[in-house]
Amino acid sequence: MPVPATGRVRRNVVADGTAAAGQLKGSKPSSTSANARSRFRVARHRALAIAALPVLLLTPRVVFADAGVPMIFLTWPAMAAALVPIIAIESIVLKYLLPSTWREATIVGSLANIVSTLVGIPLAWIVFLAFEFLVDISASYPHVNPGPILGTILFAAWLGPNENDLDWMVPLSTMVLLVGFLYVSVWLESSMAQRILQGHTEDRIRSAVWRANLASYALLEVIAAGFLVHAILQHARS
């Protein structure tokens, strides 16, 4: 007895649907495409955050769940809070290295550090951020994953969205950023010191400013290293 056309059509539809379901069940999205979508989502949130940066700087606390942690919001207030001891350390060093009066050393240390905090730290962070984007773009094509430690060092300006490891990532990235802050601070403070202090050669002023900043930034590095060691020990115990 011949099979009706409707029965053949129904069987074909069922067979095609079963095959399609089997193909969908067997197919899995590749890790490469998933990583690409994740990178695009993070880059999109970061772009929106950078566009809103002037407004976000006025807020006391900023949290980006998907974009990560822009370290400028942590390091800038911390450097401002440490401004008084930094001025004290650098003024003492300048007083005995140049030599100069206490008034001259305090004026140079105060004005130079205020300017470097307001201008130098954001400028250095922008340079780190530009480097980070270049590295991120270069590493995205061969799909290279630098790992958590190297990734924190390379992407110190803007940490990735990894809430479980931020306790050690933040101090490690701070130690990296402090190196850039040091160079920018020396550059700005040397030019200011040369305008204020008279009777000293340019090389002597630059050398004194270098040593003064090395003394203050060494203290900041030790503090950041202490937080890093504490976080590592806490991870080891847990």
Side-chain angles (χ1 to χ4, degrees):
M1 180 178 181
V3 180
T6 55
R8 285 198 298 269
V9 171
R10 187 181 297 109
R11 289 180 184 179
N12 292 336
V13 170
V14 172
D16 293 342
T18 305
Q23 291 177 358
L24 291 176
K25 184 178 180 180
S27 62
K28 295 181 180 179
S30 63
S31 59
T32 302
S33 60
N35 291 336
R37 288 195 298 269
S38 177
R39 284 180 177 271
F40 175 76
R41 184 173 61 253
V42 172
R44 181 183 60 187
H45 284 284
R46 288 187 177 184
L48 293 174
I50 292 174
L53 192 60
V55 177
L56 296 175
L57 288 174
L58 301 177
T59 60
R61 183 179 180 183
V62 180
V63 177
F64 297 106
D66 295 325
V69 180
M71 287 296 295
I72 186 66
F73 296 111
L74 300 179
T75 54
W76 205 4
M79 294 295 290
L83 196 58
V84 173
I86 289 176
I87 292 175
I89 293 174
E90 295 188 10
S91 298
I92 294 173
V93 175
L94 291 174
K95 167 67 174 63
Y96 289 100
L97 286 182
L98 286 175
S100 61
T101 64
W102 280 111
R103 181 176 178 276
E104 290 176 335
T106 304
I107 291 176
V108 172
S110 300
L111 293 179
N113 278 283
I114 290 174
V115 172
S116 64
T117 301
L118 294 177
V119 179
I121 290 177
L123 179 62
W125 181 78
I126 291 174
V127 174
F128 272 103
L129 185 62
F131 171 78
E132 179 173 329
F133 275 113
L134 290 176
V135 173
D136 195 14
I137 293 173
S138 302
S140 61
Y141 287 103
H143 307 290
V144 177
N145 186 6
I149 298 177
L150 182 59
T152 302
I153 295 174
L154 293 176
F155 306 138
W158 200 312
L159 298 178
N162 190 353
E163 297 180 0
N164 296 328
D165 295 328
L166 286 179
D167 53 347
W168 65 264
M169 292 172 65
V170 169
L172 178 58
S173 65
T174 301
M175 295 178 68
V176 176
L177 293 174
L178 283 174
V179 177
F181 296 166
L182 169 64
Y183 281 93
V184 175
S185 297
V186 170
W187 171 56
L188 290 174
E189 294 178 20
S190 296
S191 60
M192 291 193 62
Q194 291 170 13
R195 297 179 181 179
I196 298 174
L197 298 175
Q198 303 295 329
H200 300 286
T201 62
E202 181 178 343
D203 293 337
R204 188 171 186 180
I205 291 177
R206 186 180 295 109
S207 176
V209 171
W210 258 111
R211 296 183 183 183
N213 277 270
L214 284 175
S216 60
Y217 275 87
L219 176 62
L220 297 176
E221 288 281 9
V222 169
I223 295 174
F227 280 102
L228 177 60
V229 171
H230 175 74
I232 294 175
L233 292 178
Q234 288 294 109
H235 272 270
R237 294 173 183 173
S238 60

